Structures are given as structure tokens and as C-alpha cells.
Amino acid sequence: MSLAVWFSLLTACVVISFTPGAGAINTMSNALSQGWRRSIWGIVGQQLALIVHVAIVAAGLGLIVSQSEMLFNVIRYAGAAYLVFLGIRLILAKPAVTDMEDETGIDLREGHWSMIRRGFWVNLLNPKAIVFFLAFIPQFIRLDEPQLPQYLTLIITVMVVDVVVMWGFFATAARPFRRLTRSVRGQRILNSVFGILFIAVAALLVFLH
């Protein structure tokens, strides 16, 4: 991959990562409920999903998904249902103790693996991401050159940019509002806001083609 092509890839990745979506909402929600540092675990899960998306496209399966209305819809509705589930769970969530421990001293913070799994499924169950990568990747991959180094360069660039944007921008943008988590009322407001945002993204996934 030439330097000019890589700079084009880098620019495209920055623009894409700054586009708000379920991943950004998940990151900001994690930063508020779990703290800025711990929000990285959800971002890790989202990056694992990006690797799967690129692998699906590289293997030619992305074309199958894009051309099969039934398969596309199955993934689309599954993704929307998962986002609605996350939204409702947030809205109905019981406010946590502000110091993240209950009266017995048990840590109430969400586990790393739970955050990774949630981030993974939030990003993976988005068929439009597969279709997007299907249109995006060929612009930066030359068929007359070795494929593996190009795909490695692409996925590393996509992941690094997305981590920097998610953690450095979206998670950081949520930090000033973390003071609201110190009260029960503030937690309920934030949970409701992000719950509604998850449901709104689900609605867009279902109704916008």
C-alpha cells in the first residue's frame, strides 16, 4: 500500500470513526457508568467486531450478505433487537451505589469480559457495517499486490483510529457528565438518555435502508 493510498485510508477512517453510532453511544455510556479508564474494555470488544467484519469481507462472505435480502434482514433485526434490549435494560437499571461497592464491600462494577462482549455484539450485529466495508475496502486493496500485508495495514489503521477517536473523543466527552452519576436522580437521567439513544439507533437500523 503506497503512502498516498494509506493517507486516503487514514482520512476516511477518521471521518467514519467520528460519525456517531451505536459504538459511540456504547463508549459514552461505559465512560459514564464505569469510568473513562474502564471504558476501554468496551472499545476492545468493538475492535474485535471490526476485525470480524473485515475478515467477512475479505473471505467474500460480505458479498453474500449484501446480495441476500433474507440474510441481511436476519442480521439487521437481530442487531436492532439487541440494541433495544440494551436500551430497555439501561432505562430499567437500578441506580448503583456511588462508590461502586455495596454495603458488604462487594465490587459492583461491570466485569471486563462483560464489557468486551457487549462492545463486540454492538458492532458485530450491524449488517450495514459489512456492506459499508464491502464498498470501502476495495478502494484501498490492490489485487495485483500481496493481499495479506494490505489487509493487515488496513485493519491496524482502522483499529488504531477507532480506538483513539472512541477513547480520546467520545469517552472523554462523557467525563464532564460523570458528576451526574453521583446521585440516584442523575444516574436515572443518564440511563434513560442513553437507553433512548440505543433504541433510536435500533429504529434507524430497521427503518432506514
Side-chain angles (χ1 to χ4, degrees), residues 101-170:
E101 290 185 352
D102 64 10
E103 63 274 9
T104 64
I106 297 175
D107 192 347
L108 298 176
R109 293 179 302 180
E110 185 177 2
H112 295 168
W113 285 111
S114 175
M115 296 175 70
I116 290 173
R117 284 196 302 270
R118 179 155 45 81
F120 176 78
W121 289 113
V122 162
N123 259 12
L124 186 68
L125 291 174
N126 184 356
K128 293 192 176 183
I130 298 176
V131 175
F132 172 79
F133 274 114
L134 188 64
F136 177 75
I137 290 177
Q139 300 180 53
F140 302 99
I141 301 296
R142 293 181 58 92
L143 298 179
D144 58 342
E145 296 180 5
Q147 302 289 293
L148 183 58
Q150 295 183 80
Y151 274 106
L152 288 176
T153 300
L154 184 142
I155 193 59
I156 290 172
T157 302
V158 169
M159 289 175 61
V160 169
V161 170
D162 200 57
V163 169
V164 170
V165 171
M166 288 295 148
W167 209 26
F169 179 77
F170 287 110

